[in-house]
Amino acid sequence: MGVFEAMGAEGEHEQVVFCEDKRAGLRAIIAIHDTTLGPALGGTRMWPYKTEEDALRDVLRLSRGMTYKASAAGLNLGGGKAVILGDPRTDKSEALFRVFGRFVESLNGRYITAEDVGTSVHDMEYIFMETKYVTGVAPAHGGSGDPSPVTALGVFVGMKAGLRAAFGTDSFQGKRVALQGLGNVGRNLLGDLVKAGAKVIVTDVDEERCERARREHGVDVVGVDAIYDVPCDVFSPNALGAVINDNTIPRLKCKVVCGGANNQLAEERHAVALRERGILYCPDYVVNAGGLINVYVEMEGYVRERALRMAEGIGANLERVIKIASEQGITTAAAADRFAEERIQKIGDVKKGFFGGI
Ligand code: NAD
């Protein structure tokens, strides 16, 4: 498939930039999907892609996803993403990230980068030496630090909106939550849920993390696969993508799916399957936007209280999405896309016309 054909297939991108520097060993692709709402923001992923086509497809898909996430979160940001073709364990160097930073700088702020799978805050510091268009840098450089408490808060308020829709009350008293993954997001979310009075059942591949959760919060621990069979009110994926699939959907015993993990649905059709089972799906990119909100606030001069306050708005965003789904008779996943697209169209219209200045 040709590059323009691929751009069309993955949703009408504005610009794709191929970057190479042989001496630094850099091969990267930057994709800018849509800048109607503002500069295209999205992390830089480093991955040993099998083929260039795989890398291109991934960056196009991910950058489009960022457009939707930013729009649904009410941010003045467009969607972008970058991929560096290489093995993060063996191919990283100062030169590689600094050259990449220069390519980012050449886009004059149309694309703003951040860390992602395979890159770290440390790598961002090299990029930061060459461009100011990077966010999620270390707190010592004015950065916002760990975004996961903000992400977890967004998931928590999203879950409350999910409870309101499914049960008519957002009280966690007497509610059972099956929590998958006790990493940065899951650990913070667990604290919020226990404090709110929920009965939480947890799992993680890391036994030490499970033990710590049991010790600190007195929660029950189940096996990694058994989490799908736990009778509960909410199933909360906070580990991997594609956990909502043909195998797991028939097993779920919940009324709501709401978690921080990215790309929870293995395929689009699984949103329909959840709906048919009477399970309310809280779309992942709507509820896990706290991380993006966090770096957005960093761009304006970081104040954690402001980031937390903005993340509280995720509850209202999800309510709108649920309302669209019920009014239009579509899945919440499709409704989230419509919600995001509608804002892009409306704000695009607001920006039309000449109102002085240059
Ligand atoms: P993390 O790596 O800190 O935590 C993931 C946890 O999941 C780890 O404890 C890991 O042991 C566990 N895990 C892995 N495989 C598992 C399995 N099969 N069953 C149960 N547990 C398993 O990652 P994180 O930062 O907490 O992010 C979690 C998810 O949320 C990811 O999908 C991430 O993309 C998404 N997300 C995170 C943020 C953020 O602010 N950190 C923001 C938006 C989205």
Side-chain angles (χ1 to χ4, degrees):
M1 190 188 284
V3 174
F4 286 104
E5 207 185 331
M7 284 166 76
E10 294 290 342
E12 304 195 4
H13 290 67
E14 289 178 13
Q15 188 177 9
V16 179
V17 184
F18 293 84
C19 318
E20 181 168 45
D21 186 296
K22 285 206 163 69
R23 273 171 304 181
L26 175 79
R27 281 198 308 155
I29 312 173
I30 301 171
I32 295 173
H33 175 250
D34 190 299
T35 57
T36 305
L37 298 174
L41 191 147
T44 296
R45 180 164 291 196
M46 186 165 184
W47 196 254
Y49 291 102
K50 282 209 178 72
T51 65
E52 291 170 19
E53 285 75 18
D54 286 353
L56 178 62
R57 204 175 311 115
D58 209 29
V59 76
L60 292 172
R61 180 179 65 84
L62 294 166
S63 56
R64 179 174 184 272
M66 291 306 297
T67 298
Y68 281 78
K69 185 184 273 201
S71 175
L75 303 176
N76 294 320
L77 288 176
K81 201 89 184 181
V83 294
I84 295 177
L85 291 78
D87 190 332
R89 288 168 305 177
T90 50
D91 299 341
K92 285 186 180 183
S93 68
E94 176 181 351
L96 179 136
F97 285 109
R98 290 186 66 165
V99 169
F100 178 69
R102 288 167 74 85
F103 280 111
V104 172
E105 177 68 17
S106 76
L107 291 168
N108 251 322
R110 253 172 79 68
Y111 169 66
I112 300 168
T113 197
E115 65 174 305
D116 197 72
V117 175
T119 58
S120 67
V121 172
H122 186 67
D123 304 328
M124 293 307 116
E125 289 186 18
Y126 289 135
I127 296 174
F128 189 50
M129 288 178 189
E130 303 294 339
T131 180
K132 60 181 176 297
Y133 301 118
V134 50
T135 180
V137 294
H141 296 295
S144 51
D146 178 12
S148 50
V150 182
T151 305
L153 175 69
V155 177
F156 180 71
V157 297
M159 210 181 277
K160 282 175 77 155
L163 289 184
R164 278 196 295 280
F167 298 100
T169 165
D170 62 12
S171 166
F172 278 99
Q173 294 295 331
K175 290 286 180 296
R176 290 166 60 87
V177 180
L179 187 77
Q180 180 184 50
L182 293 167
N184 295 318
V185 177
R187 194 177 53 239
N188 282 292
L189 180 60
L190 172 63
D192 291 341
L193 290 170
V194 169
K195 209 156 65 186
K199 163 104 178 104
V200 189
I201 302 95
V202 304
T203 195
D204 197 294
V205 284
D206 185 329
E207 284 179 17
E208 219 175 285
R209 291 185 174 178
C210 292
E211 197 40 53
R212 191 171 149 198
R214 195 191 333 243
R215 206 175 48 241
E216 291 181 357
H217 298 290
V219 295
D220 289 340
V221 176
V222 297
V224 168
D225 190 55
I227 196 77
Y228 301 108
D229 303 311
V230 169
C232 59
D233 299 292
V234 184
F235 174 69
S236 183
N238 298 282
L240 314 162
V243 294
I244 306 295
N245 54 44
D246 291 334
N247 168 36
T248 59
I249 291 173
R251 294 166 62 188
L252 293 176
K253 297 179 180 63
C254 60
K255 281 271 169 238
V256 178
V257 171
C258 181
N262 277 316
N263 306 316
Q264 292 167 27
L265 304 174
E267 291 171 44
E268 265 176 51
R269 67 187 170 85
H270 291 120
V272 179
L274 281 178
R275 185 159 165 257
E276 281 169 357
R277 282 217 47 212
I279 297 173
L280 173 68
Y281 171 60
C282 303
D284 46 17
Y285 73 77
V286 178
V287 298
N288 74 13
L292 182 60
I293 290 172
N294 203 56
V295 290
Y296 179 75
V297 173
E298 178 178 323
M299 286 162 54
E300 299 176 332
Y302 191 65
V303 183
R304 176 136 297 205
E305 290 65 36
R306 188 165 139 68
L308 291 168
R309 208 179 128 79
M310 284 176 72
E312 299 249 5
I314 286 173
N317 295 342
L318 186 61
E319 252 169 27
R320 292 274 307 282
V321 167
I322 293 170
K323 190 157 175 267
I324 293 170
S326 99
E327 282 171 1
Q328 301 187 13
I330 55 177
T331 65
T332 47
D337 288 355
R338 281 196 195 167
F339 177 58
E341 283 161 6
E342 208 170 275
R343 178 162 177 259
I344 293 168
Q345 194 229 311
K346 285 196 175 138
I347 303 306
D349 288 348
V350 167
K351 288 184 177 183
K352 278 184 188 147
F354 182 72
F355 287 84
I358 49 158

